[in-house]
Amino acid sequence: MSGIFSFSGDEDFFNGGTMHLSPGSCPGMYLPARKRLRVSAPSLYSGFEQKRTSIEVLPDECLFEILRRLPSGKERSACACVSKHWLNLLSSITSNESVQEVQCDGSLSRSLEGNKATDLRLAAISVGTSTRGGLGKLQIRGSGFDSKVTDAGLGSIAHGCPSLRVLSLWNLPAVSDKGLSEIARSCPVIEKLDLSRCPGVTDKGLVAIAESCQNLSDLTIDSCSGVGNEGLRAIARRCTNLRSISIRSCPRIGDQGVAFLLAQAGAYLTKVKLQMLNITGMSLAVLGHYGAAVTDLVLHGLQGVNEKGFWVMGNAKGMKKLKSLSVTSCRGMTDVGLEAVGSGCPDLKHVSLNKCLLVSGKGLVSLAKSALLLESLKLEECHRINHFGFLGFLMNCGSKLKAFSLVNCLGIQDFNSESHLSSTSCSSSSIRSLSVRCCPGFGDASLSFLGKFCHQLQDVELCGLNGVTDAGVLSLLQSNSVGLVKVNLNGCVNVTDNTVSAVSVGHGRTLESLNLDGCKNITDASLVTVAKNCYSVNDIDVSNTLVSDHGIKALASSPIHLNLQVLSLGGCSGITDESKTCILKLGRTLLGLNIQRCGRISSSTVDTLLEQLWRCDILY
């Protein structure tokens, strides 16, 4: 027994001879069956245990040194799948700390939205893209207070994606200056930055961007309550490559920041968008003096800007390159301000006025006389403009005007037979696109007048005009010398097959799109004439009309072999299962089909269409 207790575990337990442990080895001796030894006293058998060899026992410093020496992206990705701990360590390795040289040209783009936007996914993106060309564009759209993206996730992107050029952060309340500063330090080549609904970002974060990201050319700040004037001033001082700035709903930003930015960067800023800010006419005056490079200007909801601000902006004569102006819900935009802008911006080509309630026909006529290069004008909810105003504008506009649009302007009233304008002769206009939508006072007389000098129309949109009939549409188109390409009569309930017949016969070789949605007097006769005459049509919408199976059959058996790409039949109760074969025939070229609210089309027919028209997007 002394030999047993002197056993240390380093030598063999039994030396020499043979130890008989089986019943067959010792005849005549009974030995019971052996059971597996269960060790329950580790202290007694500690000499038999193997030592722990897991790499997890290494401190993070040693593991970091190992991981940063991985030779390629394949090995890095494999190691990132081991555990979250390894993934986080790998995502914390910057390009400068990696032993292996990595070439990143920023050719990859990634987008995360809602619940998919988490720090863990950002870490995986950082590791996965770092050796595959590098991440160049990242868009993160969070889910508000439930968002799982924090500064740690942005830190992972900063460490592994030095080639990042475009970054969009939307609705991320857990992101703060710390994360944005990491991006600024590690991603100095950022060119476009979009910060929307990030209340944790303040001036400190913008200052960090300004100091490190000298290539920044496009900046958007939307609903960031922590950003103020100091951040804008830092951007103005350091980011000399800035070309586009958009600021919206930031309560801490006022004239001090906006005016300084425009004065400092106006010489190279080309696009300026100011929306719902607490600024006054002072900022617009500065823009008018220093905005020498501005070509596109959007002003929305600037309630603190009065008429004088717009007047000074125009009369300062500093915005010689302005080409596009959009003004929405600015009570300072009046006839006086509009005239000043028209005369002070000689290169103005596109104007959009929305909810400018103090602009009347007088301002439009002044604009037409001063802005000789104007190509398009859109008026929406400008209720002081009447029919004399918009027709006066058309009569005085230059030869460059190509597009005119009226939307929901309640001041428009149709001419009466005694109006002196109804007999006025006009020179031919160059308008190619005419759009009138939801103007209840607009009727046949107005269309008849437009037909006298709109002889080059290609795109006609007359929507929701109950006062328009066949006579008005035909008088508009009778002198048109070029072929119509798009005709939209959506909601014109008094238009009949006669209009469609005239359009098809007169413009069949050029017509590409025909929208008759809601024209309740349209029947199969319209589709029959389209099938015979419209060689180029690829988009037909006859939703909510009297079209039936006969009309669909006419399209399918067209002698000119129509190549329809979009066909909308929504709400047509006359379409039944009998049209299945015809729709399948048309479906050889269809990319979109709308059969919603077609109650007489059975589910079996729908299933057949879904199965056979597999490349067509079907709404049912």
Side-chain angles (χ1 to χ4, degrees):
M1 296 293 293
S2 61
I4 296 178
F5 288 103
S6 64
F7 176 69
S8 65
D10 296 329
E11 62 273 2
D12 293 333
F13 183 79
F14 178 76
N15 287 327
T18 303
M19 182 174 286
H20 300 282
L21 298 179
S22 64
S25 62
C26 298
M29 181 180 294
Y30 171 75
L31 294 175
R34 289 183 301 157
K35 294 184 180 180
R36 179 174 296 180
L37 182 64
R38 178 176 296 175
V39 178
S40 59
S43 59
L44 180 62
Y45 297 98
S46 59
F48 296 96
E49 289 185 347
Q50 292 184 353
K51 295 181 179 180
R52 187 182 178 191
T53 59
S54 172
I55 198 173
E56 293 291 350
V57 302
L58 290 176
D60 285 351
E61 291 79 3
C62 295
L63 191 56
F64 178 87
E65 289 297 325
I66 295 173
L67 295 178
R68 79 187 187 98
R69 287 171 167 78
L70 292 175
S72 68
K74 184 177 180 179
E75 285 76 7
R76 287 172 60 89
S77 297
C79 290
C81 296
V82 172
S83 66
K84 292 182 180 179
H85 180 59
W86 282 35
L87 174 60
N88 289 330
L89 276 178
L90 281 166
S91 65
S92 67
I93 301 174
T94 66
S95 58
N96 294 330
E97 294 170 333
S98 179
V99 173
Q100 300 295 326
E101 185 177 353
V102 178
Q103 298 294 331
C104 295
D105 57 3
S107 58
L108 302 178
S109 62
R110 295 291 185 269
S111 177
L112 297 178
E113 296 187 15
N115 294 330
K116 294 182 179 180
T118 63
D119 286 345
L120 190 62
R121 286 182 180 270
L122 290 176
I125 288 175
S126 174
V127 174
T129 61
S130 60
T131 56
R132 290 174 171 82
L135 187 66
K137 181 178 180 180
L138 176 63
Q139 174 181 295
I140 309 174
R141 187 188 294 268
S143 52
F145 291 105
D146 296 330
S147 177
K148 299 179 182 179
V149 173
T150 67
D151 292 331
L154 285 190
S156 299
I157 293 296
H159 296 151
C161 308
S163 60
L164 189 65
R165 295 191 302 270
V166 179
L167 177 62
S168 298
L169 305 177
W170 297 341
N171 209 10
L172 302 174
V175 169
S176 68
D177 295 329
K178 180 181 178 181
L180 194 60
S181 298
E182 284 284 337
I183 291 290
R185 283 192 295 269
S186 302
C187 308
V189 297
I190 282 185
E191 299 173 359
K192 183 176 181 179
L193 177 63
D194 185 347
L195 302 174
S196 299
R197 297 183 183 180
C198 296
V201 175
T202 68
D203 288 337
K204 183 178 178 181
L206 273 191
V207 170
I209 291 292
E211 291 177 348
S212 301
C213 304
Q214 304 298 317
N215 293 333
L216 187 68
S217 61
D218 192 324
L219 176 62
T220 297
I221 309 172
D222 186 350
S223 304
C224 294
S225 56
V227 176
N229 295 322
E230 185 57 37
L232 281 189
R233 285 195 287 263
I235 293 292
R237 294 189 188 100
R238 304 297 296 273
C239 299
T240 55
N241 289 313
L242 192 66
R243 297 296 179 267
S244 175
I245 181 74
S246 176
I247 312 172
R248 182 179 184 271
S249 299
C250 296
R252 295 185 60 219
I253 291 180
D255 283 327
Q256 293 182 357
V258 174
F260 185 88
L261 173 69
L262 297 175
Q264 191 79 13
Y268 45 83
L269 269 176
T270 59
K271 296 181 180 180
V272 177
K273 185 181 293 187
L274 307 175
Q275 302 180 82
M276 299 192 305
L277 299 175
N278 297 322
I279 62 175
T280 67
M282 172 186 173
S283 294
L284 293 195
V286 172
L287 178 61
H289 280 89
Y290 297 100
V294 176
T295 60
D296 297 82
L297 177 61
V298 176
L299 306 174
H300 182 190
L302 305 181
Q303 300 302 320
V305 178
N306 55 20
E307 180 184 77
K308 183 178 180 181
F310 283 96
W311 183 86
V312 174
M313 183 181 74
N315 284 314
K317 309 291 185 182
M319 302 175 67
K320 300 292 186 181
K321 296 183 179 181
L322 185 65
K323 290 180 172 59
S324 176
L325 173 66
S326 177
V327 182
T328 302
S329 299
C330 294
R331 59 187 180 184
M333 174 54 80
T334 64
D335 292 340
V336 174
L338 187 59
E339 180 181 5
V341 170
S343 60
C345 305
D347 207 21
L348 193 61
K349 295 182 178 180
H350 308 282
V351 174
S352 175
L353 303 178
N354 189 352
K355 298 180 181 179
C356 295
L357 303 181
L358 299 180
V359 173
S360 68
K362 180 181 178 181
L364 291 186
V365 173
S366 299
L367 177 66
K369 292 180 178 180
S370 57
L372 300 180
L373 300 181
L374 193 65
E375 295 181 2
S376 70
L377 175 66
K378 180 180 180 181
L379 305 172
E380 183 170 356
E381 295 190 41
C382 298
H383 302 309
R384 288 194 63 188
I385 296 174
N386 55 23
H387 56 290
F388 293 104
F390 92 84
L391 291 177
F393 167 81
L394 293 177
M395 294 171 62
N396 289 278
C397 65
S399 59
K400 300 292 185 179
L401 189 68
K402 297 295 188 297
F404 181 77
S405 175
L406 280 175
V407 181
N408 197 22
C409 293
L410 303 183
I412 302 294
Q413 299 296 326
D414 207 18
F415 295 115
N416 55 49
S417 58
E418 299 177 356
S419 174
H420 71 280
L421 283 178
S422 61
S423 59
T424 303
S425 60
C426 305
S427 59
S428 177
S429 172
S430 60
I431 295 180
R432 302 295 177 89
S433 175
L434 174 65
S435 176
V436 183
R437 292 186 286 136
C438 302
C439 297
F442 202 94
D444 288 344
S446 299
L447 287 181
S448 179
F449 179 82
L450 291 175
K452 295 180 179 180
F453 65 104
C454 292
H455 300 162
Q456 301 182 51
L457 289 175
Q458 294 180 326
D459 187 352
V460 175
E461 184 178 30
L462 306 174
C463 298
L465 305 181
N466 294 337
V468 169
T469 66
D470 292 335
V473 178
L474 296 178
S475 62
L476 172 66
L477 303 179
Q478 65 182 356
S479 300
N480 201 53
S481 59
V482 297
L484 290 172
V485 177
K486 296 181 180 180
V487 175
N488 185 353
L489 303 175
N490 188 334
C492 293
V493 296
N494 293 313
V495 171
T496 70
D497 296 327
N498 294 332
T499 292
V500 180
S501 177
V503 170
S504 301
V505 173
H507 306 274
R509 294 190 176 275
T510 57
L511 187 66
E512 297 179 0
S513 176
L514 178 62
N515 189 336
L516 302 171
D517 185 4
C519 299
K520 299 180 179 180
N521 293 316
I522 295 298
T523 67
D524 293 329
S526 292
L527 293 187
V528 171
T529 187
V530 167
K532 291 180 180 179
N533 299 284
C534 297
Y535 294 82
S536 304
V537 67
N538 55 54
D539 186 344
I540 296 178
D541 189 344
V542 288
S543 301
N544 304 300
T545 63
L546 300 178
V547 167
S548 68
D549 295 330
H550 179 66
I552 304 302
K553 182 178 180 181
L555 291 178
S557 58
S558 170
I560 56 178
H561 304 292
L562 298 179
N563 291 315
L564 283 179
Q565 295 182 3
V566 180
L567 178 61
S568 298
L569 307 171
C572 293
S573 57
I575 306 293
T576 70
D577 289 340
E578 294 182 7
S579 293
K580 179 176 68 173
T581 304
C582 296
I583 293 177
L584 289 175
K585 184 177 180 180
L586 292 170
R588 297 170 184 171
T589 58
L590 279 181
L591 300 177
L593 174 65
N594 179 8
I595 52 175
Q596 291 179 318
R597 304 183 311 280
C598 294
R600 299 177 66 185
I601 296 181
S602 65
S603 58
S604 61
T605 297
V606 173
D607 291 339
T608 301
L609 294 176
L610 290 173
E611 179 181 355
Q612 298 194 27
L613 303 182
W614 52 270
R615 71 171 187 172
C616 179
D617 186 10
I618 301 179
L619 300 178
Y620 58 96

